[in-house]
Amino acid sequence: MKTKVKKAILPAAGLGTRFLPATKASPKEMLPIVDKPLIQYAVEESISCGIEEFIIITGKHKRAIEDHFDSAFELEEKLKVTGKSKLLKEINKWNQIKFAYIRQRAALGLGHAILCAEPFVRDEPFAVILSDDIIDPEYPLLKEMLKIYAEKKCPVIALEEVPISEVNRYGVIDGVQEGRVYKIKNLIEKPSPEKAPSNLAIIGRYILTPEIFEHLARQKPGAGGEIQLTDALKELVRKTPIYGYLIRGKRYDVGDKLGYLEATVDLALKNDELSKDFKDFLIKKIKTLS
Ligand code: G1P
């Protein structure tokens, strides 16, 4: 098996029901935070960690994702003529990056989406990036996970401590702690707080090895009637070590309306063009609220 992680799978076939009606006819992954769609944050984070190829799992109503990373002749010409070179550079920066798109014919779950990418991955380790989770770039989670993978040569999944009342929104692990790393013993998808083995939730960054595919192929529908990645990992951990890595910085669950608003505010405050005016606006606004 090759050992360097160069490919990332980005599942983007979900129905986006938490954001209806906005996501009825357009992809959730294209919702913008400030001026970039969610999926662009995931791609940029991956590129900064050395990922070179992207396999995006799409479905119905998801064509805008392909268009976003494609060239746009008319727009480029217009930007050239009007001298908007900074914007031109921004929209052209994908030319050197390899994207492949696979259509998941039915929304059968995260596990099934990843299984769809098997022919494009073959014998390589790969990352799985869920664009619902935006990670604070000050603490590059994926980079830290890749270091652990390079050392252990075993799957690594990202973890975050969440309030116990929220564990039913996540996959949850049971494991033995070694610093920020956990050696995983068991995993459960969306347990009730009573049945959860801990409050350590899986968040949307995984480094996986191709052995996962045989387990995914065997999975029956699990939580929510979907083929779950967590269930395949639960089988895999009986045969091979899997490590969990506890995130250090902030994660925004932008698949959730409140998380989306929090990310919008924080990233607008970090945006060079907007931060000053936006901060002034917020300060005034808060005064009117108190
Ligand atoms: C998926 C995974 C879950 C994980 C979560 C992280 O759930 O199945 O194990 O905790 O992503 O965001 P979803 O959010 O797709 O329901």
Side-chain angles (χ1 to χ4, degrees):
M1 187 178 79
K2 294 184 187 165
T3 53
K4 187 139 191 323
V5 183
K6 288 192 289 189
K7 293 185 175 166
I9 301 176
L10 275 65
L15 298 175
T17 45
R18 288 194 285 173
F19 262 96
L20 281 170
T23 47
K24 185 179 170 206
S26 46
K28 171 183 69 174
E29 295 74 15
M30 291 301 294
L31 290 173
I33 301 267
V34 187
D35 54 2
K36 291 192 283 194
L38 301 183
I39 195 160
Q40 181 168 338
Y41 286 93
V43 169
E44 287 178 352
E45 177 194 341
S46 308
I47 292 172
S48 75
C49 297
I51 300 290
E52 294 168 7
E53 290 173 45
F54 293 89
I55 302 156
I56 302 184
I57 315 297
T58 69
K60 287 184 189 63
H61 310 307
K62 300 284 183 165
R63 289 218 186 114
I65 298 174
E66 293 176 45
D67 291 341
H68 181 71
F69 293 114
D70 198 359
S71 51
F73 181 75
E74 275 186 357
L75 181 61
E76 286 166 27
E77 285 306 302
K78 181 86 184 162
L79 294 176
K80 264 185 221 161
V81 172
T82 50
K84 298 195 168 141
S85 53
K86 200 172 158 211
L87 275 178
L88 182 64
K89 202 169 158 212
E90 170 61 36
I91 67 157
N92 263 342
K93 68 183 182 188
W94 312 113
N95 292 354
Q96 307 305 318
I97 312 290
K98 292 181 191 150
F99 291 96
Y101 297 90
I102 300 176
R103 190 119 162 174
Q104 187 186 18
R105 285 162 183 265
L108 297 178
L110 177 61
H112 179 263
I114 291 163
L115 185 58
C116 292
E118 183 180 13
F120 294 80
V121 171
R122 290 191 300 264
D123 62 344
E124 292 179 47
F126 57 95
V128 172
I129 314 286
L130 307 185
S131 37
D132 268 4
D133 282 329
I134 290 191
I135 308 294
D136 181 352
E138 262 177 56
Y139 298 95
L141 173 62
L142 188 61
K143 206 171 266 171
E144 292 167 8
M145 292 170 69
L146 285 166
K147 268 193 213 146
I148 295 164
Y149 174 77
E151 187 192 308
K152 312 252 190 208
K153 304 280 183 304
C154 294
V156 183
I157 62 182
L159 301 175
E160 183 177 58
E161 290 189 69
V162 299
I164 196 78
S165 57
E166 290 176 16
V167 286
N168 59 356
R169 288 167 42 185
Y170 299 94
V172 174
I173 68 119
D174 185 12
V176 178
Q177 189 171 9
E178 302 163 9
R180 296 204 80 78
V181 176
Y182 285 77
K183 188 151 191 289
I184 293 178
K185 291 198 297 186
N186 194 16
L187 308 91
I188 307 180
E189 181 67 11
K190 306 206 168 76
S192 64
E194 298 73 39
K195 293 212 172 123
S198 73
N199 67 336
L200 291 165
I202 303 168
I203 56 169
R205 301 292 179 276
Y206 307 71
I207 313 286
L208 300 176
T209 50
E211 293 89 71
I212 195 68
F213 292 122
E214 64 185 85
H215 298 284
L216 284 171
R218 280 208 295 265
Q219 286 312 305
K220 303 254 170 345
E226 297 188 338
I227 308 284
Q228 296 291 354
L229 174 58
T230 306
D231 294 345
L233 289 166
K234 184 187 178 86
E235 275 187 16
L236 183 63
V237 80
R238 295 197 192 115
K239 290 180 31 186
T240 183
I242 301 180
Y243 292 91
Y245 179 74
L246 195 59
I247 185 174
R248 289 191 297 142
K250 171 97 180 138
R251 170 194 67 114
Y252 301 93
D253 176 6
V254 292
D256 172 76
K257 284 175 201 164
L258 191 59
Y260 180 86
L261 292 171
E262 283 175 17
T264 303
V265 171
D266 278 0
L267 294 177
L269 286 170
K270 285 184 185 170
N271 181 289
D272 291 343
E273 260 174 50
L274 289 174
S275 59
K276 192 184 166 305
D277 291 346
F278 187 57
K279 189 174 163 192
D280 291 346
F281 162 77
L282 283 181
I283 291 169
K284 274 191 212 141
K285 185 80 201 165
I286 286 164
K287 279 187 192 144
T288 69
L289 297 175
S290 52

